[in-house]
Amino acid sequence: MAAGYRRWAAREAAGSSPVYERLAHAVSADDAALDLLARLPAAKRQPNLLFGALRWHGVPVEDPATALTWLQDHWDEVRATVQERSTQTNKAARCAVLLPGLAELAARTDGPLAVVEVGASAGLCLLYDAWRYRYALPGGREHVVGSVGSAVELPCAVDGADAQLRLPASVPAIAWRTGLDLSPVDPTDADTRRWLQCLVWPEHVEREERLRTALDVAARLRPPVLAGDMTTDLAPLLARARRRLDEVAGAGRGAVVVTHSAALAYLGADERDAVRQVVSGAGAHRLGLEARAVLPDLAERLAADVADDGRFLVSLDDEPLALAAPHGSTLTFL
Ligand SMILES: C[S@@+](CC[C@H](N)C(=O)[O-])C[C@H]1O[C@@H](n2cnc3c(N)ncnc32)[C@H](O)[C@@H]1O
């Protein structure tokens, strides 16, 4: 576990959170802390969860010595928190890197879209039309699109093949939307909101502020997110989406699209394939943002000189579209 914390400090935290980098190194060198963590189930030993729990309890994570003493003295409280809770994210900013694919699909389709998001969390990535997108192109040009009065503006640096041409002129019409999540997040619940905020890394103040504002918007708009498992509950939801689209747009018009970001990673390889088959079997489309290893058959199709640098792959059906920063701050069209 010491090696795992050291690796996490070097690979994940370095360059992004000096506070967590120091804390992860401190844990890796503290036998007493490692001893306590070893008593947890493997899935509960991860740095993000432990550090979020420390912040939940108001521990000063920027001071590793104090934090680790507190951990020893209050282990029962920390254990209860990590056992009760899990890491969870919901990033509106991921809409910025999915939006061009959504618009491309809408342009190919006669009519509006019905969006079904699997792994939707609080449903922030169902609200494409609630956000304002500020795309920064090479040479200092900007492309701004989306809801004019939105309280949430999503900056995204864009480059790659035909970047300017592939940015949409507007957000496509969404006639119906619903999310599916094993444990939907209620954006109106104060405890849930505070936990999500504790999981944002300490220096990422802008992200935390954006999360707060985006959750306010979701609390007002209440995007529907159903409790369910995408491996078993997706097929009936797609049938329902198609029926609703037929009612709203006319029989057979428009398209049902299943979106997912940082969600298929939670499934085994066979389950991911099964979800993709359910989507295509229902005549629906799939638009996703996932780590490259999650959809290896698509990642394999990238040119050999495309560095595997941690960026996620944006794909539409079986077509790799772009590489993007995992949290949606950059987009490079392929
Ligand atoms: C890392 S979060 C990503 C949330 C959101 N898509 C985003 O990009 O901000 C992954 C979500 O997938 C959900 N999830 C994991 N396995 C699932 C499954 N089998 N069915 C439905 N949701 C699942 C989790 O509960 C969690 O809310």
Side-chain angles (χ1 to χ4, degrees):
M1 202 181 343
Y5 269 75
R6 269 198 304 277
R7 221 176 12 251
W8 188 87
R11 287 202 195 150
E12 309 275 337
S16 185
S17 173
V19 167
Y20 275 4
E21 187 184 1
R22 275 197 304 276
L23 187 57
H25 277 304
V27 171
S28 76
D30 185 318
D31 288 342
L34 294 170
D35 207 43
L36 292 173
L37 288 172
R39 298 181 204 167
L40 295 171
K44 296 289 184 182
R45 295 176 192 159
Q46 38 166 321
N48 265 328
L49 183 58
L50 173 67
F51 298 170
L54 290 173
R55 293 175 74 204
W56 174 257
H57 290 288
V59 177
V61 287
E62 60 288 348
D63 175 355
T66 305
L68 292 180
T69 305
W70 195 93
L71 181 71
Q72 293 294 331
D73 295 345
H74 300 81
W75 173 245
D76 287 345
E77 286 167 60
V78 175
R79 189 182 49 205
T81 302
V82 299
Q83 277 179 337
E84 182 193 338
R85 296 178 179 276
S86 47
T87 54
Q88 173 60 271
T89 57
N90 201 191
K91 303 263 159 46
R94 290 182 174 138
C95 288
V97 298
L98 290 170
L99 180 65
L102 200 71
E104 191 175 317
L105 180 62
R108 289 187 204 158
T109 312
D110 174 27
L113 300 173
V115 177
V116 174
E117 189 193 0
V118 290
S121 192
L124 300 184
C125 297
L126 280 166
L127 297 173
Y128 289 91
D129 38 6
W131 320 127
R132 183 99 171 135
Y133 305 86
R134 186 170 293 276
Y135 294 103
L137 286 146
R141 285 163 302 154
E142 279 195 333
H143 180 90
V144 183
V145 64
S147 168
V148 175
S150 178
V152 177
E153 185 170 278
L154 305 172
C156 181
V158 189
D159 61 8
D162 298 327
Q164 179 141 28
L165 296 175
R166 291 167 75 182
L167 291 175
S170 59
V171 177
I174 299 175
W176 190 81
R177 71 193 86 197
T178 290
L180 186 65
D181 200 287
L182 275 184
S183 18
V185 167
D186 178 356
T188 65
D189 181 72
D191 258 17
T192 305
R193 292 175 64 114
R194 190 163 86 77
W195 175 243
L196 283 180
Q197 262 152 322
C198 287
L199 291 172
V200 180
W201 292 7
E203 297 90 340
H204 299 193
V205 179
E206 217 173 281
R207 264 189 204 156
E208 195 190 334
E209 181 53 37
R210 191 185 302 141
L211 173 65
R212 192 193 322 271
T213 316
L215 286 170
D216 287 344
V217 173
R220 190 162 42 79
L221 298 178
R222 304 305 293 266
V225 180
L226 307 175
D229 187 331
M230 69 175 108
T231 63
T232 50
D233 301 323
L234 182 57
L237 188 55
L238 292 184
R240 191 170 143 209
R242 187 61 255 178
R243 281 195 302 275
R244 291 306 311 272
L245 202 52
D246 287 350
E247 283 164 22
V248 177
R253 293 198 60 214
V256 177
V257 56
V258 174
T259 59
H260 55 90
S261 48
L264 295 197
Y266 288 74
L267 309 184
D270 290 350
E271 290 174 319
R272 284 176 214 150
D273 288 346
V275 165
R276 289 167 77 182
Q277 273 165 23
V278 167
V279 174
S280 52
H285 296 269
R286 184 194 60 76
L287 173 66
L289 169 73
E290 299 286 345
R292 280 167 68 157
V294 170
L295 297 173
D297 56 318
L298 300 188
E300 258 170 31
R301 288 168 41 196
L302 299 178
D305 62 347
V306 176
D308 190 356
D309 53 7
R311 280 181 297 171
F312 280 17
L313 183 63
V314 180
S315 60
L316 175 59
D317 296 324
D318 284 333
E319 196 187 335
L321 286 188
L323 292 168
H327 299 306
S329 58
T330 70
L331 179 66
T332 300
F333 287 107
L334 295 165

